[in-house]
Amino acid sequence: MLCCKLVTPRLPYLTLPLQVEIWTQPQHHVHSSVKKSSRNPNWRGQLLEVLVQEPDSQQLRVVLNDIDMLNVKELLRVNLLKGASHLLRSANPIGRAAVSLRDICSKPFVKQEIELKLSGTEWAYEMGIVDDDDHGTLDLALTYKPFQDLDANSTAPIAARGSLSVDIRQCQDLAAEDWSSGSSDPYVLLKVAGQKQQTAVMPQTTHPTYNAHFEFFNVQLQDVLKIEVWDRDRFKFDDLIGQLELPIKTMLTWVQAGKRGWRDGWWRLKGKKDAVPPTDNKHGRIEMKVQYRPYSA
């Protein structure tokens, strides 16, 4: 795991609201909060975390984005713009950089501060080249934390904390919550260890395909992964279509059974009032790959 603490960037010109985007794997990008127009936005040491699986070969890719966003926060709160949030904001790269993690990962648990000169070209540091135009700089404080060396509960059969990866592939046979269209506008909300992430909204379908990847860190054995499928509504609160819960302790048994902590397949969704998982498909079903990885064994 790589912990990335954001430090104030220095930019040559005034901008629209800014956001930092980082990743080590193309399927999982992590974003900072959006800061208002400024040449020197202050994220107050906001911490972003990404997964490092190949320390000798992986790169950290960093993009500073100029966010063009309409002021429709209140409208979205009451769902007046159904499923249109992705149309209300766009990210325009101001500068980018790619950094090899080999040296960073050679010193675990040591905070290393680096200054990135942002470039307008594609991944300038990857080729050791930076263009002549001034796109500003971004200071980062990076700390590499190998899973096997993180503190764990020594009385537990395996580590008391770990990371959780979830691939949301698709749903089938969802209920049609929109009476006017006979369909739904479903999205999937994931909640665990005080963290929330969600898929995009898929308009007018009861068989949505997402192919979305999510990662959660510092997940403890007593936590429960909650999967909720919601219908985005225009003039009222969103409707819950179906849900399920997967205790992390259950995933722990997958690890102990030699299955590398993952399951890949279909799960039935239950309704809000269902006490146990249903035997029918009236709430639909969801296809996922779920993997729990203890920090140490």
Side-chain angles (χ1 to χ4, degrees):
M1 179 174 67
L2 183 70
C3 299
C4 178
K5 182 174 290 188
L6 302 180
V7 185
T8 302
R10 292 174 292 279
L11 304 173
Y13 43 80
L14 290 174
T15 68
L16 291 170
L18 295 174
Q19 183 182 60
V20 176
E21 178 181 6
I22 68 171
W23 69 93
T24 56
Q25 304 177 96
Q27 69 270 31
H28 184 65
H29 292 214
V30 179
H31 300 83
S32 73
S33 57
V34 177
K35 292 301 178 181
K36 294 181 179 180
S37 302
S38 172
R39 290 179 61 183
N40 303 106
N42 188 355
W43 278 279
R44 300 183 183 277
Q46 182 177 350
L47 189 66
L48 306 178
E49 296 177 324
V50 290
L51 185 65
V52 177
Q53 294 178 306
E54 301 291 340
D56 291 334
S57 60
Q58 275 185 289
Q59 293 180 324
L60 174 67
R61 296 179 182 262
V62 181
V63 177
L64 184 63
N65 287 315
D66 186 343
I67 302 297
D68 186 8
M69 181 167 54
L70 297 179
N71 186 16
V72 293
K73 184 176 181 180
E74 293 302 318
L75 294 178
L76 290 174
R77 182 176 297 176
V78 295
N79 297 314
L80 292 180
L81 294 171
K82 182 176 183 180
S85 60
H86 65 288
L87 299 177
L88 303 174
R89 59 185 295 169
S90 60
N92 304 301
I94 293 176
R96 51 172 67 88
V99 183
S100 172
L101 293 179
R102 178 177 298 176
D103 292 339
I104 301 295
C105 295
S106 67
K107 300 176 182 178
F109 297 102
V110 176
K111 183 172 72 173
Q112 302 177 62
E113 297 182 355
I114 63 173
E115 181 185 77
L116 296 180
K117 184 176 180 182
L118 301 175
S119 171
T121 59
E122 288 289 332
W123 313 119
Y125 285 178
E126 202 166 355
M127 302 299 294
I129 300 172
V130 178
D131 58 6
D132 293 331
D133 294 335
D134 186 5
H135 294 271
T137 62
L138 178 63
D139 293 339
L140 302 178
L142 303 177
T143 306
Y144 173 57
K145 299 180 179 180
F147 285 163
Q148 65 271 19
D149 294 332
L150 290 174
D151 292 336
N153 183 354
S154 60
T155 63
I158 64 174
R161 292 186 294 133
S163 67
L164 181 65
S165 297
V166 183
D167 291 328
I168 302 295
R169 291 176 176 158
Q170 60 177 317
C171 296
Q172 287 189 358
D173 305 317
L174 298 179
E177 297 290 342
D178 295 340
W179 61 268
S180 59
S181 64
S183 187
S184 290
D185 300 297
Y187 64 93
V188 181
L189 177 65
L190 302 89
K191 299 186 288 186
V192 67
Q195 306 169 58
K196 293 182 180 181
Q197 299 188 57
Q198 73 176 61
T199 68
V201 176
M202 294 296 158
Q204 298 188 1
T205 179
T206 56
H207 303 277
T209 297
Y210 298 103
N211 291 324
H213 179 81
F214 303 95
E215 292 174 357
F216 302 91
F217 298 99
N218 294 319
V219 178
Q220 301 185 35
L221 294 183
Q222 67 267 25
D223 292 325
V224 176
L225 172 63
K226 297 182 179 180
I227 306 289
E228 300 173 349
V229 182
W230 291 83
D231 171 50
R232 178 63 54 85
D233 275 319
R234 186 188 301 267
F235 298 113
K236 59 187 182 71
F237 292 112
D238 294 353
D239 297 315
L240 179 65
I241 299 176
Q243 61 184 341
L244 65 91
E245 295 185 354
L246 293 176
I248 301 301
K249 287 184 178 179
T250 299
M251 302 179 198
L252 176 63
T253 64
W254 305 345
V255 178
Q256 294 170 327
K259 297 180 180 179
R260 300 182 63 184
W262 65 271
R263 288 288 176 89
D264 191 347
W266 289 91
W267 279 265
R268 287 191 177 95
L269 298 170
K270 64 178 183 179
K272 188 174 182 180
K273 297 182 180 179
D274 292 336
V276 296
T279 57
D280 57 32
N281 284 334
K282 80 175 177 178
H283 299 288
R285 56 188 187 138
I286 185 169
E287 185 185 14
M288 305 183 296
K289 178 179 178 179
V290 182
Q291 183 176 26
Y292 174 69
R293 287 168 288 196
Y295 284 161
S296 64

